[in-house]
Amino acid sequence: MKELFINTLIGQVRALDQFGTWTNRTDEDILKEKYVKTKEDLKNIPVIADIDEMQIQDIRLIYQSVALAFETKTGVMCSVVMEMSHEGFGRAVVIADKIVIVNKFFKDAHRYSFRTYEKLEEEGEKMLKSVMEIYEDYKK
């Protein structure tokens, strides 16, 4: 499932590259730039700050990727609903069939990141496994 999540995420990210800016960059480098921040990187980001539209879109892509990977595995269509204030407080919800399979609250979303690329893979795999379990329980 790890490959499914990462492949879906990089497909979503590359689909937004209208001008071919990332054509010569590896998938891993692109995802690291967008989603990986070290502790030192986070020290340079203020605790209280506004979130920009690009950051909101990057977060949305994570949940769209989970939804698309779920659709690929099950054939069940999903909807991603995301609300985010300019201060970085918000919520992402993924709905499949008649159930909520992801419900994530955010505070300080401008600091949303993973410490390593491997952690991004691991968290994506964990989310996808969780949504599959929730859906299987619902079907029973």
Side-chain angles (χ1 to χ4, degrees), residues 25-34 117:
R25 300 196 47 206
T26 67
D27 294 346
E28 188 173 331
D29 285 344
I30 294 168
L31 293 180
K32 279 181 179 177
E33 181 179 323
K34 286 193 158 298
Y117 179 77

mmCIF file of all heavy atoms in Angstrom, residues 25-34 117:
data_model
loop_
_atom_site.group_PDB
_atom_site.id
_atom_site.type_symbol
_atom_site.label_atom_id
_atom_site.label_comp_id
_atom_site.label_asym_id
_atom_site.label_seq_id
_atom_site.Cartn_x
_atom_site.Cartn_y
_atom_site.Cartn_z
ATOM 1 N N ARG A 25 13.177 16.496 -12.186
ATOM 2 C CA ARG A 25 13.404 16.187 -10.775
ATOM 3 C C ARG A 25 12.802 14.834 -10.438
ATOM 4 O O ARG A 25 11.791 14.435 -10.985
ATOM 5 C CB ARG A 25 12.786 17.276 -9.899
ATOM 6 C CG ARG A 25 13.446 18.621 -10.243
ATOM 7 C CD ARG A 25 13.251 19.701 -9.271
ATOM 8 N NE ARG A 25 13.499 19.286 -7.897
ATOM 9 C CZ ARG A 25 12.929 19.902 -6.879
ATOM 10 N NH1 ARG A 25 12.110 20.890 -7.075
ATOM 11 N NH2 ARG A 25 13.188 19.500 -5.652
ATOM 12 N N THR A 26 13.416 14.140 -9.484
ATOM 13 C CA THR A 26 12.901 12.828 -9.087
ATOM 14 C C THR A 26 11.643 13.005 -8.243
ATOM 15 O O THR A 26 11.440 14.055 -7.623
ATOM 16 C CB THR A 26 13.936 12.035 -8.267
ATOM 17 O OG1 THR A 26 14.133 12.698 -7.013
ATOM 18 C CG2 THR A 26 15.255 11.896 -9.010
ATOM 19 N N ASP A 27 10.836 11.962 -8.221
ATOM 20 C CA ASP A 27 9.614 11.982 -7.419
ATOM 21 C C ASP A 27 9.942 12.248 -5.953
ATOM 22 O O ASP A 27 9.294 13.056 -5.295
ATOM 23 C CB ASP A 27 8.862 10.648 -7.547
ATOM 24 C CG ASP A 27 8.332 10.395 -8.951
ATOM 25 O OD1 ASP A 27 8.300 11.343 -9.765
ATOM 26 O OD2 ASP A 27 7.941 9.247 -9.221
ATOM 27 N N GLU A 28 10.952 11.570 -5.455
ATOM 28 C CA GLU A 28 11.333 11.715 -4.049
ATOM 29 C C GLU A 28 11.757 13.144 -3.733
ATOM 30 O O GLU A 28 11.375 13.705 -2.697
ATOM 31 C CB GLU A 28 12.454 10.733 -3.706
ATOM 32 C CG GLU A 28 12.769 10.697 -2.230
ATOM 33 C CD GLU A 28 13.762 9.601 -1.854
ATOM 34 O OE1 GLU A 28 13.823 8.559 -2.533
ATOM 35 O OE2 GLU A 28 14.472 9.803 -0.844
ATOM 36 N N ASP A 29 12.533 13.776 -4.618
ATOM 37 C CA ASP A 29 12.974 15.155 -4.382
ATOM 38 C C ASP A 29 11.788 16.114 -4.320
ATOM 39 O O ASP A 29 11.750 17.019 -3.488
ATOM 40 C CB ASP A 29 13.943 15.619 -5.474
ATOM 41 C CG ASP A 29 15.322 15.011 -5.323
ATOM 42 O OD1 ASP A 29 15.631 14.482 -4.229
ATOM 43 O OD2 ASP A 29 16.095 15.056 -6.305
ATOM 44 N N ILE A 30 10.821 15.924 -5.194
ATOM 45 C CA ILE A 30 9.644 16.798 -5.219
ATOM 46 C C ILE A 30 8.850 16.648 -3.927
ATOM 47 O O ILE A 30 8.463 17.638 -3.298
ATOM 48 C CB ILE A 30 8.753 16.487 -6.441
ATOM 49 C CG1 ILE A 30 9.493 16.852 -7.727
ATOM 50 C CG2 ILE A 30 7.419 17.224 -6.350
ATOM 51 C CD1 ILE A 30 8.836 16.315 -8.982
ATOM 52 N N LEU A 31 8.622 15.405 -3.520
ATOM 53 C CA LEU A 31 7.839 15.175 -2.308
ATOM 54 C C LEU A 31 8.589 15.657 -1.067
ATOM 55 O O LEU A 31 7.977 16.179 -0.137
ATOM 56 C CB LEU A 31 7.460 13.700 -2.184
ATOM 57 C CG LEU A 31 6.481 13.190 -3.247
ATOM 58 C CD1 LEU A 31 6.173 11.718 -3.037
ATOM 59 C CD2 LEU A 31 5.196 14.010 -3.273
ATOM 60 N N LYS A 32 9.914 15.515 -1.056
ATOM 61 C CA LYS A 32 10.700 16.029 0.069
ATOM 62 C C LYS A 32 10.570 17.546 0.162
ATOM 63 O O LYS A 32 10.411 18.087 1.252
ATOM 64 C CB LYS A 32 12.171 15.649 -0.087
ATOM 65 C CG LYS A 32 12.501 14.253 0.336
ATOM 66 C CD LYS A 32 13.993 13.997 0.170
ATOM 67 C CE LYS A 32 14.382 12.606 0.606
ATOM 68 N NZ LYS A 32 15.815 12.355 0.369
ATOM 69 N N GLU A 33 10.651 18.214 -0.969
ATOM 70 C CA GLU A 33 10.545 19.675 -0.973
ATOM 71 C C GLU A 33 9.180 20.138 -0.443
ATOM 72 O O GLU A 33 9.092 21.100 0.306
ATOM 73 C CB GLU A 33 10.759 20.215 -2.383
ATOM 74 C CG GLU A 33 10.693 21.725 -2.465
ATOM 75 C CD GLU A 33 10.927 22.235 -3.863
ATOM 76 O OE1 GLU A 33 11.757 21.657 -4.595
ATOM 77 O OE2 GLU A 33 10.260 23.227 -4.244
ATOM 78 N N LYS A 34 8.136 19.441 -0.831
ATOM 79 C CA LYS A 34 6.786 19.840 -0.443
ATOM 80 C C LYS A 34 6.412 19.442 0.978
ATOM 81 O O LYS A 34 5.706 20.184 1.659
ATOM 82 C CB LYS A 34 5.756 19.237 -1.398
ATOM 83 C CG LYS A 34 5.723 19.899 -2.757
ATOM 84 C CD LYS A 34 4.504 19.464 -3.492
ATOM 85 C CE LYS A 34 4.118 20.408 -4.567
ATOM 86 N NZ LYS A 34 3.764 21.742 -4.147
ATOM 87 N N TYR A 117 11.300 11.552 4.522
ATOM 88 C CA TYR A 117 10.542 10.994 3.406
ATOM 89 C C TYR A 117 9.934 9.653 3.810
ATOM 90 O O TYR A 117 8.790 9.347 3.468
ATOM 91 C CB TYR A 117 11.465 10.834 2.195
ATOM 92 C CG TYR A 117 10.787 10.232 0.986
ATOM 93 C CD1 TYR A 117 9.948 10.998 0.195
ATOM 94 C CD2 TYR A 117 10.982 8.900 0.651
ATOM 95 C CE1 TYR A 117 9.309 10.450 -0.908
ATOM 96 C CE2 TYR A 117 10.354 8.345 -0.449
ATOM 97 C CZ TYR A 117 9.526 9.131 -1.228
ATOM 98 O OH TYR A 117 8.888 8.586 -2.315
#
